[in-house]
Amino acid sequence: MLKVLLASRNAGKLREFSELLPHLQFVLWPKDAPELPETGAFFQDNALQKAEGARAWWNEHGTEPVDGVLADDSGLCVDALWGGPGVLSARFAPDLSDYRLKNQRLLSLLPEVADRGARFVCVLAYLPSSGPPFTVSGSVEGSLAQEHRGEGGFGYDPIFIPQGHTRTFGELPSDIKHSLSHRARACAALKERLA
Ligand code: IMP
């Protein structure tokens, strides 16, 4: 079983990775480790930046050897907001700590008649202990709900309705999210690359 350092502290992502990649043994990013910078303009740049930052820190401070480092950069891209918040999804509305309020703020930015098209995007960067790094990605098309609906998932899930459904990711059971989400698709591509 590959032992992989997971360069994220996002509880929602951690839960999903353990469900989507049960054949990997994850080493969690330690609580006392630094916040990993993500200053790129694209999901791919940020995923690689986080993975490389995590590897550099782990090389100096790590407590056990790992076979690879995995980082995720993801976000919600809204057509009527020119693709925003996109790579800035984690930093949207920093004055609000609660996602119910952040979601309300995001929806309030949409004009009445706006196209509600949106997609979730996920890029995973994997750095093996030997060999070149690579990235894989996944996305899911959908639209924005009129209001925050459902308590499942995390982040923007309660305002995102995947194509072909009427319920938000916050309302749908997690096995449905895992059958079509951006992260599930990126994880499937990662599994293939690691096989
Ligand atoms: P980052 O990848 O650390 O920059 O953060 C991505 C942000 O996008 C998260 O903090 C969430 O707000 C949002 N996000 C990414 N994936 C999901 C998802 O599957 N559901 C809901 N929100 C997500």
Side-chain angles (χ1 to χ4, degrees):
M1 195 183 244
L2 280 181
K3 197 190 270 189
V4 174
L5 174 64
L6 189 49
S8 176
R9 238 187 239 123
N10 181 313
K13 289 186 188 180
L14 298 182
R15 191 178 56 248
E16 293 199 352
F17 279 119
S18 62
E19 291 165 2
L20 291 166
L21 297 168
H23 63 299
L24 297 183
Q25 184 189 341
F26 288 115
V27 174
L28 300 183
W29 189 235
K31 286 203 168 46
D32 61 337
E35 209 48 60
L36 292 164
E38 40 176 311
T39 56
F42 301 100
F43 291 113
Q44 190 178 20
D45 299 337
N46 284 341
L48 281 165
Q49 188 184 15
K50 284 189 263 191
E52 278 157 9
R55 179 163 67 184
W57 189 86
W58 194 255
N59 283 345
E60 269 195 47
H61 307 278
T63 47
E64 55 187 311
V66 292
D67 300 303
V69 178
L70 179 66
D72 165 312
D73 200 61
S74 46
L76 178 66
C77 304
V78 178
D79 293 340
L81 301 177
W82 304 97
V87 288
L88 300 176
S89 292
R91 284 163 277 168
F92 175 75
D95 55 315
L96 304 172
S97 54
D98 176 30
Y99 262 92
R100 179 176 285 273
L101 299 176
K102 282 184 198 277
N103 285 338
Q104 279 163 3
R105 168 86 54 89
L106 182 57
L107 293 179
S108 76
L109 299 178
L110 291 188
E112 286 276 302
V113 291
D115 167 10
R116 300 189 80 79
R119 72 204 46 76
F120 268 124
V121 176
C122 171
V123 176
L124 301 178
Y126 187 76
L127 270 53
S129 50
S130 62
F134 64 85
T135 60
V136 289
S137 62
S139 64
V140 56
E141 295 290 327
S143 60
L144 292 186
Q146 297 291 342
E147 72 281 305
H148 181 110
R149 285 188 351 223
E151 301 305 324
F154 69 100
Y156 301 100
D157 279 342
I159 58 168
F160 183 81
I161 305 171
Q163 221 165 53
H165 291 264
T166 53
R167 289 181 288 171
T168 67
F169 269 160
E171 296 172 309
L172 288 164
S174 62
D175 58 323
I176 295 191
K177 182 178 180 192
H178 290 349
S179 70
L180 51 80
S181 82
H182 51 312
R183 187 162 296 103
R185 288 173 175 160
C187 284
L190 176 71
K191 252 190 237 173
E192 243 176 65
R193 286 289 294 266
L194 292 176

